[in-house]
Amino acid sequence: VLQNFKDVLKVKDIWLIAIYYGLNMISLLAVVTLLPITLEERGVENAGGMVGIMMGATVVFNILGGMLSDRVGKRKPFLLICAVVFGLCVLGFANFTGTALIVVLIIAGAAMGTIAPVLMSVPVEMERIGTALVGSAIGFIFMLGNTGGFVGPVVAGRLMDMSDSSMPGFIFIAAALILSAVFIIPMKETGRKRGPGEAPVAHGH
């Protein structure tokens, strides 16, 4: 088991995808935790239902996003674009109400829902991971992700408390998402439509 973990840590792209996921979880847990509170403070009715709209879109795009990525044969564009889109939507959470708020919640949910299935596909498609090490790899990714999920609400909440405004917290959340996209850029494409010279899928060791 220890050797498997050591082998996983030697793969640079696992570190990139794990940091990406950690930054995403900073944002996701902060949004889910703090958005209902901030909406209520702004006088938005049925704040919990509003967050439910976002989560409903997430459920739908857990399926549609993964299917679209399979159809296109690419992973990186979906991970990169969805993180940036989600980040931009977060900035709208602090300012929008009514129909505009509902629209950005749906778009954010679609982006967030697409990230999960695509991200979980990447490790098993990596040349040095494959099915032999995918459990250890995803465990490491989840470890960093859960760490980010713990830190995110604490930091974002503190920023909101210190400034007596939700905007600094949402800026922090959006910045984490947009920063996460940077870590996808150097990662090798693992989808079936790879560029020339990119490694084929490994199905085991």
Side-chain angles (χ1 to χ4, degrees), residues 12-24 26 76 79-80 83-84 119 122 126 144 175-189:
K12 183 187 75 172
D13 283 358
I14 284 293
W15 282 93
L16 293 174
I17 199 74
I19 294 170
Y20 170 86
Y21 185 61
L23 290 167
N24 269 263
I26 283 176
K76 287 178 59 175
L79 294 173
L80 194 155
V84 173
L119 184 141
V122 169
M126 287 182 177
L144 286 192
L177 282 164
I178 294 171
L179 176 62
S180 75
V182 174
F183 289 90
I184 295 299
I185 295 171
M187 192 182 78
K188 291 180 181 177
E189 176 62 65

Side-chain angles (χ1 to χ4, degrees), residues 98-113:
T99 303
L101 177 60
I102 292 172
V103 170
V104 295
L105 285 168
I106 292 172
I107 295 172
M112 182 170 63

Side-chain angles (χ1 to χ4, degrees), residues 19-157:
I19 294 170
Y20 170 86
Y21 185 61
L23 290 167
N24 269 263
M25 289 298 286
I26 283 176
S27 305
L28 174 58
L29 268 292
V31 166
V32 173
T33 303
L34 300 171
L35 182 56
I37 299 171
T38 59
L39 291 179
E40 285 182 357
E41 289 176 347
R42 288 168 49 205
V44 175
E45 295 183 3
N46 193 18
M50 286 291 187
V51 178
I53 291 173
M54 182 178 70
M55 299 310 296
T58 298
V59 171
V60 173
F61 277 84
N62 281 155
I63 299 172
L64 295 183
M67 290 174 62
L68 185 58
S69 176
D70 288 341
R71 177 65 64 89
V72 173
K74 296 280 189 178
R75 307 301 186 197
K76 287 178 59 175
F78 289 87
L79 294 173
L80 194 155
I81 293 170
C82 286
V84 173
V85 168
F86 190 12
L88 295 176
C89 287
V90 167
L91 295 177
F93 294 166
N95 298 302
F96 296 163
T97 57
T99 303
L101 177 60
I102 292 172
V103 170
V104 295
L105 285 168
I106 292 172
I107 295 172
M112 182 170 63
T114 298
I115 287 171
V118 176
L119 184 141
M120 290 299 103
S121 301
V122 169
V124 74
E125 294 172 343
M126 287 182 177
E127 179 188 9
R128 295 172 61 187
I129 301 298
T131 55
L133 295 175
V134 70
S136 300
I138 291 178
F140 175 63
I141 292 168
F142 279 175
M143 181 184 72
L144 286 192
N146 290 334
T147 302
F150 168 75
V151 170
V154 174
V155 175

